[in-house]
Amino acid sequence: MTPPPPAPQPSYAHGTSTTPLLGDTVGANLARAVAAHPDREALVDVPSGRRWTYAEFGAAVDELARALLARGVTRGDRVGIWAVNCPEWVLVQYATARIGVIMVNVNPAYRAHELEYVLRQSGITLLVASLAHKSSDYRAIVEEVRGRCPALRETVYIGDPSWDALTAGAASVPQERVDALAAELSCDDPVNIQYTSGTTGFPKGATLSHHNILNNGYWVGRTVGYTEQDRVCLPVPFYHCFGMVMGNLGATSHGACVVIPAPSFEPAATLEAVQRERCTSLYGVPTMFIAELNLPDFASYDLTTLRTGIMAGSPCPVEVMKRVVAEMHMEQVSICYGMTETSPVSLQTRMDDDLGHRTATVGRVLPHIEVKVVDPVTGTTVPRGAAGELRTRGYSVMLGYWEEPEKTAEAIDPGRWMHTGDLAVMREDGYVEIVGRIKDMIIRGGENIYPREVEEFLYGHRKIADVQVVGVPHERYGEEVLACVVVRDAADPLTLEELRAYCDGQLAHYKVPSRLQLLDSFPMTVSGKVRKVELRERFGVPPEPDGR
């Protein structure tokens, strides 16, 4: 009698490890790195030529911590950072953590509409901002909204006398006060708020603890083999977990050096920084690596010091990965999957994984984390090889959404599983493929866009009677934003130029629709819901010249 076939293995994996999690706060962990590597470089800013050893960086962090205390900022207060990549961003990250202040990341692309919401919702009392970025005059935008943000007491601008005045105040606060505050902190205290969202409403403030982000940065760095010998080039934005957790904390928790190539991504500046600073690791979303590889003088850069790096944000095409490994010398490049709410990384490829695993999967579970793939309706774990919703649990799951317990309960179930909203398949070997999204989130060049937020803003246009926003394929960015609009008066149609002008200065540039489709009505389900999937299918090709 033939024995029955073995039962299929469930789509569940747990990252076991004999190495324990870190029990430090961010500040205590930095102090250990300073003590262990005082003379090694911790931070290099290529544009300004400034550089800090670990001893100098630790002293600068404590000086800024004293300066914040002198301004009346105290444990549990929220300090916002609205700036491009620069050394001051990093100093604010570690100084706030040192004294138990919660840093709130504000996207540099935000305009008045979005800035006001974040300032009000998080209750930021002090905002540190750049003076300007691209077409944004930050001071003018702050002045526009500050009267509607009662908690905001002060704004300090980097590169302005207000920054010098802030740091000068450090002299009035003894170092003992910083040390005493630091000693009272718990690794489970909140330390960071990052705004993200589902497909409805405004962004939600994912609240992350020291334990969340310090351990995630540490394990991402450990998985690519970081030591104090590594120099990590970070062209990715600090306001994302990619930059501040996987980058900054991934480096400092191993005594490595952070290298800032430019305030925002520039392919030539990135490769120049790798060459000049002898970087061993380089981060980016696939579109960044494509831009670097496509530079006319790419072959002139000496990238032989590179050995590893991290790609995340979207899948990497096979041919691009081949060139990154062969021509950029990144034989140990790693793919990561995560979300802000999980600090961010849950899955990661390993240094010795083959090309197929690096391009077709997002890796396998990291140590001390659990993942499973479930039927999104019943919540039961599906067999390996079957598609379902990816869920994750462990030290990395956020504390919750800032002051939104109901939305927190929608995302994290009673078993503390984070519901990612992504459709995934777990292979027999435990590696995971992402095959789609349950939610309607649009990912444009690594930026997450939430249609409902854009729709709610566009409803304010006088010509728009109804609007649905969907993502459609784009050769360069992966997806682009399409606004499907029913106008109030067919005799007075809306143009794409009018729509974009309405968004200018109010929405971040990547959220502004690049395509417009005028419709008489939307396809609906029997229950009266708009069939966004049909809109995506129907208009997922370039529009006709008349826009209809």
Side-chain angles (χ1 to χ4, degrees), residues 274-525:
V274 170
Q275 176 177 272
R276 184 187 305 178
E277 296 298 328
R278 314 303 288 159
C279 293
T280 60
S281 177
L282 174 62
Y283 287 20
V285 298
T287 52
M288 290 180 176
F289 285 98
I290 291 168
E292 291 154 8
L293 289 163
N294 288 341
L295 286 171
D297 62 346
F298 168 78
S300 70
Y301 293 96
D302 179 4
L303 308 178
T304 54
T305 55
L306 286 174
R307 67 165 182 86
T308 189
I310 293 176
M311 274 198 219
S314 58
C316 181
V318 174
E319 292 307 313
V320 174
M321 180 62 77
K322 286 179 180 177
R323 292 193 63 193
V324 166
V325 170
E327 298 174 40
M328 300 182 81
H329 309 281
M330 296 170 59
E331 293 86 358
Q332 297 172 352
V333 65
S334 183
I335 303 296
C336 290
Y337 165 86
M339 59 193 304
T340 305
E341 291 91 337
T342 56
S343 305
V345 179
S346 301
L347 301 154
Q348 186 174 353
T349 60
R350 301 324 199 245
M351 290 190 288
D352 57 352
D353 281 339
D354 59 28
L355 185 70
H357 280 92
R358 291 183 191 174
T359 54
T361 82
V362 290
R364 53 188 170 91
V365 67
L366 281 180
H368 302 289
I369 292 175
E370 298 171 272
V371 293
K372 64 179 178 178
V373 180
V374 306
D375 182 309
V377 176
T378 66
T380 56
T381 304
V382 300
R384 295 199 179 190
E389 184 189 15
L390 181 66
R391 297 183 183 176
T392 181
R393 178 169 70 179
Y395 74 83
S396 58
V397 175
M398 67 174 179
L399 298 178
Y401 292 120
W402 183 257
E403 295 189 341
E404 297 196 88
E406 292 182 0
K407 290 182 178 178
T408 300
E410 292 171 7
I412 304 172
D413 64 30
R416 289 292 296 170
W417 287 96
M418 180 73 208
H419 296 205
T420 69
D422 282 322
L423 287 169
V425 173
M426 184 179 291
R427 295 178 172 186
E428 288 297 329
D429 61 6
Y431 282 75
V432 174
E433 302 172 43
I434 302 298
V435 296
R437 295 189 299 281
I438 294 173
K439 302 173 183 176
D440 291 317
M441 183 175 75
I442 302 165
I443 302 180
R444 179 190 181 275
E447 293 282 1
N448 293 350
I449 302 168
Y450 304 94
R452 189 62 188 168
E453 181 189 0
V454 182
E455 289 163 0
E456 288 184 0
F457 177 73
L458 294 181
Y459 274 122
H461 194 288
R462 64 178 183 83
K463 289 189 177 183
I464 294 177
D466 203 355
V467 58
Q468 295 291 321
V469 169
V470 297
V472 291
H474 186 276
E475 184 176 3
R476 180 179 177 189
Y477 294 112
E479 288 185 300
E480 62 178 336
V481 181
L482 166 66
C484 298
V485 169
V486 177
V487 296
R488 295 187 183 279
D489 182 0
D492 186 21
L494 178 70
T495 68
L496 180 60
E497 291 71 25
E498 286 176 308
L499 186 71
R500 292 177 67 85
Y502 180 72
C503 298
D504 187 38
Q506 298 297 317
L507 289 180
H509 68 89
Y510 61 85
K511 298 179 185 177
V512 177
S514 54
R515 286 181 52 187
L516 170 66
Q517 198 73 40
L518 300 182
L519 301 173
D520 297 323
S521 62
F522 298 128
M524 309 289 279
T525 65

Side-chain angles (χ1 to χ4, degrees), residues 156-179:
V156 175
Y157 295 95
I158 298 166
D160 177 80
S162 60
W163 174 266
D164 297 330
L166 171 68
T167 56
S172 66
V173 176
Q175 179 64 32
E176 289 76 15
R177 187 173 169 203
V178 172
D179 296 338

Side-chain angles (χ1 to χ4, degrees), residues 208-216 343 395-399:
L208 305 172
S209 70
H210 295 259
H211 196 64
N212 290 150
I213 62 175
L214 176 59
N215 276 288
N216 205 255
S343 305
Y395 74 83
S396 58
V397 175
M398 67 174 179
L399 298 178

Side-chain angles (χ1 to χ4, degrees), residues 104 106 110 114-124 195:
V104 182
V106 184
Y110 274 5
E114 299 138 320
L115 176 65
E116 179 185 345
Y117 177 79
V118 168
L119 289 171
R120 289 173 60 87
Q121 204 277 331
S122 64
I124 288 171
Y195 278 84

Side-chain angles (χ1 to χ4, degrees), residues 13-176:
H14 176 208
T16 58
S17 176
T18 57
T19 302
L21 290 169
L22 301 175
D24 297 338
T25 61
V26 169
N29 186 262
L30 176 63
R32 288 207 287 137
V34 169
H37 314 289
D39 299 324
R40 295 201 68 86
E41 283 190 328
L43 178 64
V44 174
D45 183 49
V46 174
S48 69
R50 292 178 291 168
R51 53 186 70 225
W52 291 257
T53 64
Y54 266 93
E56 292 165 343
F57 182 67
V61 165
D62 277 0
E63 178 188 47
L64 183 54
R66 298 198 311 273
L68 291 171
L69 291 172
R71 290 299 174 97
V73 176
T74 189
R75 180 178 178 178
D77 285 352
R78 273 78 66 205
V79 166
I81 177 72
W82 187 33
V84 293
N85 286 14
C86 61
E88 289 80 6
W89 206 110
V90 187
L91 290 170
V92 169
Q93 176 183 350
Y94 287 84
T96 50
R98 185 88 164 92
I99 55 175
V101 170
I102 302 170
M103 182 180 72
V104 182
N105 301 9
V106 184
N107 190 325
Y110 274 5
R111 298 299 183 100
H113 175 72
E114 299 138 320
L115 176 65
E116 179 185 345
Y117 177 79
V118 168
L119 289 171
R120 289 173 60 87
Q121 204 277 331
S122 64
I124 288 171
T125 58
L126 187 148
L127 177 67
V128 177
S130 295
L131 285 165
H133 175 55
K134 296 183 178 178
S135 61
S136 295
D137 180 340
Y138 285 16
R139 197 191 300 269
I141 296 173
V142 170
E143 289 304 313
E144 179 182 341
V145 305
R146 67 178 305 154
R148 300 190 293 273
C149 303
L152 183 64
R153 299 195 308 257
E154 183 179 7
T155 302
V156 175
Y157 295 95
I158 298 166
D160 177 80
S162 60
W163 174 266
D164 297 330
L166 171 68
T167 56
S172 66
V173 176
Q175 179 64 32
E176 289 76 15

